[in-house]
Amino acid sequence: MLIDETHKKWRDFSLVFLLVATAFYCWYPMRPPQGRNGGSAVGIAFGIIGSAFMVFAGLLGARKKFPVWRLGPAQTWMRGHLWLGLLSLPLILFHGAFRFGGTLTTVLMVLLVIVIVSGVFGAVLQHYMPRMMTREVPLETIFEQIDSVRAQLLEEADKSVAAVCGPLGVMAVGSRKLPAGGYSERGGATPAAAAAATPALALTEEDSAPLRSFYLRQMRPHLEKPGAGDHPLADPGKASGIFEELRKRVPPMVQETVEDLEDICEEERQLRRQARLHHWLHGWLLLHIPVSLALLVLGAVHAYKALRF
Amino acid sequence: MARFTRTTKKLAQRIDLQYFKRSSPFRRWRFLLSVGLTALAVVWLAWQTLARNNRAYSSGQMATAHSLLATQCAACHVSRTGVFREHATNQACLECHDGPLHHANQVFAPDCASCHVEHRGPVRLAATSDTNCTQCHGSLQAKGGSFSFAVDRNIEGFHSRHPEFAALRSGKGDSGTIRLNHSVHLRKLRVSPNGPEEIQLDCDDCHRTPGDKRPWRFGETPSDRDEAQLRTAAMEKPDPLRPNPTRAYMAPINYSKHCAACHLLQFDTKKRFTEGVPHGKQPREIHEFLMNKYQGHIANHPADLRTIPMPDQNLTGKPASPLAQNLSPPQWVDEQVAEAEKILWRKTCNQCHTLSFPKGASLPEVAPPNIPVKWMLHAAFDHNAHRMMTCTSCHAGATTSQLTSDVLLPGIQNCRQCHRPVLDAAESRCFECHTYHDWSKEKPVKGRFTSQELLHGIATFPQPRDAEPGQR
């Protein structure tokens, strides 16, 4: 989420609230004999407000589960999640008077710090990375559809090459299992081979050999297993050189096909980049959300026990 | 053939519109971790409950004195039927610490736990916060009470608005009647008990705590019996914050140890007796001592009845009688006793003691010494805790004091140099000097727990007894 001027009210409110809470924290030990104490009236008040902020921040997940409920704009919930969640840390520190207390309270403080730190980290990423994504991945797609798009890119590449080189003798796109012996350059060697297309251009076997060889030996394995990061086609500079070399070796009539293949490689690289950026952009949630849930559950137990004892 | 152009429409057509109905690895991991971590937390709490270990819920480490009870929450947190809260009660504290009332005139009775706050780590529970004290003593409130002196009504602690010590505040001076010139005694003296030699007295040649067993430089090492005598009632008073009261206060000055080596109590001008008059006796007893001494002497030395005035002793300038006097023994004794008493009452005793001569009385009256043992009657002080310091760093006036009435007690500003409410300074909270329970009135407590209960769990808490409300 972009932290811009639309956050001004929340930011100002949070700052004022923090200042008032800090002033109160400094003042209140003058009154009760025990000094700053989580069990004093003011200490409990800090705890209740801090917990309420944490619960509100936690409700963002529930709000997302029911997007059609008329509970206010999701943007507002997100801003509240950010700022009130952030405020909960100083309030809980004031509640405990900067003491971690016993085992449960120590665990709670550690969890809270993890949640806040991971949340701030995530907020910073969410502020900067979407713009980076737009800039670096113009062909961005839905993250969950990346594998599907890759399969379509492979199919697209297969068709392009088959159109000029004839049947490739590779497995049909969509069946993701590779033959044990790999792909046949001439087709027909693999029993399951099904990818076939009627060549639109009648190239001799000699003319099509460089393209077929390049595709089946280098490009198709790269599209099939994009995880191999050290592949030459994964590097834009090396890929450009490879395709430049290929252009010199193929007849002029298949130059467009080569450009198609180059575009497909470029899109594949963008998908790789998107996947990497997506992992950064959302990976922190694997820590933030589970720890938040544990924090809320243990916090409820702490509240019960503390009020009772 | 036509190229595969990437129009928006073509890109959009790639998307499977049902994709969101299927779980992605990222969502699956998020769900699994959320459930797993929460379950782990719940299992941990369940395990603590099954193991009957409530220590996890403790709000902090117990004080050192209560560390054995760290796992025995029920020892203090008493459960009552129908009551949700299980806060530590006064009753639980009184089971082991049946202390006396804090103050007879206290305006309210705070709970034990409001002053002695537990779960704050290995701290001394007796070290209460100043605000515990100043909530009443800040303005010296008392139930129907009033105070004989005016002080600031908003005492915040020793460091702020605490009144000057009473002995210095009153302006009355030292109530002692023994004449002592500190200045003279702290100069270099030309005569020592061993003869004419230059000596320099130190403070501890006269002022020591009863617990100090070092031999005296100019006096006898006291016996245990003397030690016991030196302990005054004030020093014997139990003080929970002072583990070694025999080293806390200076013992009163004692003639035989501190003065006798130089200040002999000789009474006979002809030096017929080696010893002086006994110290610590009243004039009548001294008179009888002298009578006995001279009667015994004249019985053994009848030739002394013929007295011949010695020319060198006649300082009047008048011509001395050429004739010797023949006196009866009683006359001789009376004459010698009168001569001795003249020396004692006018010089020897009078040098230190305050003597008065009532009309018609033949013997003087000696004022009681009235040497204060404790200068701060409502506070405790420990000289032993300050033993690393020189005496004059606090009692700076001692080197120049010439009058008995000079109060050499250092003022509060002197103490505040070290006792400040900051880090790296000496303790300055109220309890450092003021005790708040009179433990001399402590009631006997009957133990209720077995060692096994303390170590392995207290199954049931003792039934409440008839605890007096406002006991503390």
Side-chain angles (χ1 to χ4, degrees):
Chain A
M1 174 179 221
L2 196 62
I3 301 172
D4 54 12
E5 278 304 300
T6 58
H7 286 250
K8 187 172 183 303
K9 286 181 182 174
W10 285 97
R11 185 191 63 206
D12 292 348
F13 167 78
S14 301
L15 279 174
V16 170
F17 197 95
L18 180 61
L19 285 175
V20 171
T22 305
F24 212 65
Y25 176 76
C26 295
W27 168 81
Y28 93 89
M30 313 287 182
R31 310 304 305 162
Q34 299 93 340
R36 298 183 180 99
N37 185 351
S40 66
V42 179
I44 290 175
F46 275 131
I48 290 173
I49 298 171
S51 302
F53 285 178
M54 282 196 285
V55 170
F56 175 80
L59 285 175
L60 177 69
R63 172 70 183 82
K64 285 182 174 177
K65 290 284 180 192
F66 305 99
V68 293
W69 286 12
R70 293 184 177 179
L71 296 171
Q75 292 276 322
T76 305
W77 277 80
M78 190 65 204
R79 291 185 191 107
H81 175 89
L82 275 175
W83 291 102
L84 298 186
L86 191 60
L87 262 182
S88 66
L89 178 63
L91 290 178
I92 294 300
L93 287 173
F94 291 163
H95 164 63
F98 292 88
R99 282 190 292 268
F100 278 19
T103 310
L104 178 59
T105 46
T106 303
V107 169
L108 283 170
M109 284 306 299
V110 171
L111 294 182
L112 179 60
V113 169
I114 291 173
V115 169
I116 297 296
V117 170
S118 64
V120 170
F121 177 71
V124 171
L125 290 179
Q126 298 274 1
H127 180 75
Y128 290 106
M129 291 194 72
R131 281 178 283 178
M132 186 191 295
M133 184 93 84
T134 307
R135 190 172 60 248
E136 295 191 6
V137 189
L139 295 173
E140 178 189 1
T141 188
I142 296 168
F143 175 75
E144 286 81 0
Q145 287 291 289
I146 285 179
D147 285 345
S148 171
V149 170
R150 274 179 171 148
Q152 293 174 50
L153 286 177
L154 184 60
E155 181 184 6
E156 194 176 314
D158 281 350
K159 284 181 180 175
S160 295
V161 176
V164 294
C165 298
L168 296 173
V170 293
M171 288 186 73
V173 174
S175 174
R176 304 303 299 156
K177 289 181 180 175
L178 293 174
Y183 298 116
S184 164
E185 290 190 30
R186 296 182 181 276
T190 306
T198 304
L201 295 170
L203 285 181
T204 64
E205 192 171 315
E206 188 181 353
D207 286 343
S208 65
L211 180 59
R212 172 188 287 269
S213 173
F214 161 75
Y215 181 69
L216 292 176
R217 284 181 180 278
Q218 292 194 59
M219 184 170 165
R220 200 168 198 282
H222 173 58
L223 295 179
E224 281 268 334
K225 292 184 179 178
D230 55 348
H231 197 282
L233 292 177
D235 183 273
K238 290 180 181 175
S240 176
I242 289 170
F243 279 104
E244 198 59 40
E245 187 64 27
L246 181 63
R247 281 193 196 93
K248 293 176 184 170
R249 294 168 56 198
V250 297
M253 62 189 69
V254 293
Q255 292 294 330
E256 278 192 356
T257 304
V258 174
E259 283 181 28
D260 274 343
L261 295 180
E262 192 170 13
D263 288 347
I264 287 170
C265 282
E266 169 59 22
E267 189 169 354
E268 163 56 30
R269 282 194 295 273
Q270 288 193 23
L271 291 178
R272 276 169 59 91
R273 205 172 299 135
Q274 183 190 346
R276 193 172 64 246
L277 291 175
H278 185 91
H279 285 144
W280 275 103
L281 197 55
H282 298 280
W284 59 275
L285 287 170
L286 293 177
L287 182 67
H288 185 75
I289 293 176
V291 175
S292 300
L293 276 175
L295 174 66
L296 289 174
V297 170
L298 290 179
V301 174
H302 163 68
Y304 171 80
K305 291 286 184 180
L307 288 175
R308 184 161 191 194
F309 293 103
Chain B
M1 66 170 285
R3 290 190 57 196
F4 291 94
T5 51
R6 279 155 181 76
T7 62
T8 307
K9 186 178 178 182
K10 283 190 175 180
L11 290 174
Q13 284 174 343
R14 288 172 171 176
I15 306 302
D16 175 10
L17 296 180
Q18 301 299 312
Y19 80 91
F20 60 87
K21 292 182 179 175
R22 290 188 297 273
S23 174
S24 69
F26 180 78
R27 285 182 184 169
R28 197 160 48 247
W29 271 108
R30 203 171 63 187
F31 175 77
L32 287 175
L33 284 172
S34 299
V35 172
L37 197 58
T38 308
L40 187 67
V42 172
V43 166
W44 175 59
L45 291 177
W47 178 62
Q48 297 289 335
T49 306
L50 289 174
R52 293 187 177 179
N53 181 12
N54 288 318
R55 197 173 188 170
Y57 308 119
S58 168
S59 60
Q61 193 180 352
M62 300 281 284
T64 309
H66 291 157
S67 55
L68 195 63
L69 301 173
T71 57
Q72 309 305 327
C73 307
C76 303
H77 295 277
V78 184
S79 176
R80 296 180 206 84
T81 308
V83 180
F84 174 72
R85 303 191 88 178
E86 295 183 12
H87 283 199
T89 60
N90 288 348
Q91 177 218 340
C93 304
L94 293 171
E95 289 295 330
C96 301
H97 311 278
D98 202 345
L101 193 67
H102 168 63
H103 197 289
N105 287 332
Q106 60 193 25
V107 292
F108 77 102
D111 288 337
C112 305
S114 70
C115 297
H116 306 288
V117 185
E118 252 299 359
H119 297 290
R120 291 289 182 88
V123 297
R124 204 165 47 137
L125 285 177
T128 57
S129 161
D130 278 359
T131 47
N132 287 302
C133 309
T134 56
Q135 63 181 327
C136 287
H137 297 277
S139 59
L140 294 177
Q141 307 173 46
K143 196 184 289 179
S146 61
F147 293 87
S148 59
F149 53 90
V151 296
D152 196 307
R153 308 300 282 180
N154 293 296
I155 299 169
E156 294 173 0
F158 184 68
H159 63 285
S160 175
R161 299 182 175 178
H162 188 290
E164 179 56 279
F165 302 141
L168 298 171
R169 195 173 58 230
S170 65
K172 291 178 181 174
D174 191 341
S175 60
T177 60
I178 301 296
R179 294 194 188 93
L180 180 77
N181 187 328
H182 274 96
S183 175
V184 166
H185 284 81
L186 289 173
R187 286 184 210 146
K188 284 186 177 173
L189 303 175
R190 284 176 289 180
V191 178
S192 82
N194 304 323
E197 63 172 334
E198 197 170 75
I199 60 163
Q200 172 69 59
L201 288 177
D202 285 332
C203 300
D204 69 349
D205 285 329
C206 299
H207 299 286
R208 290 189 192 176
T209 62
D212 193 336
K213 301 295 183 187
R214 290 174 296 158
W216 292 95
R217 194 154 64 123
F218 302 114
E220 298 171 358
T221 301
S223 65
D224 290 341
R225 188 175 58 81
D226 293 334
E227 287 296 317
Q229 289 175 346
L230 286 175
R231 294 177 189 172
T232 64
M235 295 157 76
E236 291 289 351
K237 188 177 177 180
D239 189 341
L241 297 177
R242 300 285 171 265
N244 189 355
T246 60
R247 288 181 183 271
Y249 298 104
M250 292 296 167
I253 295 298
N254 179 274
Y255 169 80
S256 64
K257 287 194 301 187
H258 307 127
C259 314
C262 295
H263 296 276
L264 303 174
L265 302 182
Q266 287 183 335
F267 55 90
D268 189 71
T269 54
K270 296 185 176 63
K271 299 184 179 175
R272 285 169 289 201
F273 307 102
T274 54
E275 79 270 38
V277 293
H279 188 264
K281 306 294 183 185
Q282 288 300 311
R284 179 157 300 283
E285 295 169 290
I286 299 292
H287 178 78
E288 289 171 4
F289 170 82
L290 293 173
M291 291 288 287
N292 291 334
K293 273 286 178 188
Y294 281 112
Q295 283 170 354
H297 178 83
I298 203 63
N300 295 327
H301 305 85
D304 284 358
L305 288 173
R306 183 181 171 82
T307 60
I308 300 173
M310 296 175 69
D312 58 344
Q313 288 187 342
N314 184 0
L315 303 178
T316 62
K318 296 176 182 176
S321 170
L323 300 176
Q325 291 181 307
N326 287 318
L327 302 173
S328 65
Q331 283 178 323
W332 185 85
V333 168
D334 287 345
E335 192 171 287
Q336 295 303 315
V337 168
E339 186 73 18
E341 286 183 342
K342 189 186 294 179
I343 293 171
L344 290 172
W345 308 148
R346 294 189 180 176
K347 180 177 179 290
T348 309
C349 299
N350 197 43
Q351 188 174 10
C352 302
H353 288 281
T354 304
L355 305 179
S356 59
F357 296 86
K359 280 187 177 177
S362 58
L363 293 173
E365 288 182 357
V366 182
N370 275 348
I371 300 174
V373 175
K374 278 188 71 174
W375 282 95
M376 294 183 285
L377 298 179
H378 303 293
F381 180 80
D382 190 348
H383 276 100
N384 196 45
H386 297 81
R387 61 189 179 276
M388 79 296 287
M389 301 170 68
T390 63
C391 303
T392 51
S393 65
C394 294
H395 302 281
T399 53
T400 55
S401 167
Q402 296 183 340
L403 301 173
T404 300
S405 60
D406 292 343
V407 177
L408 302 182
L409 178 75
I412 192 169
Q413 289 300 340
N414 186 77
C415 304
R416 282 174 177 160
Q417 294 178 77
C418 300
H419 294 271
R420 291 174 293 146
V422 293
L423 289 174
D424 302 328
E427 180 62 72
S428 67
R429 284 175 286 177
C430 304
F431 68 83
E432 181 70 359
C433 303
H434 299 289
T435 56
Y436 39 80
H437 291 304
D438 185 356
W439 289 105
S440 64
K441 296 173 183 170
E442 183 180 11
K443 298 170 187 171
V445 170
K446 189 174 183 181
R448 290 174 184 268
F449 304 123
T450 66
S451 58
Q452 291 305 308
E453 282 177 329
L454 290 173
L455 291 171
H456 303 299
I458 296 167
T460 55
F461 195 80
Q463 290 300 309
R465 58 183 178 169
D466 299 331
E468 299 163 21
Q471 183 69 27
R472 300 277 162 176

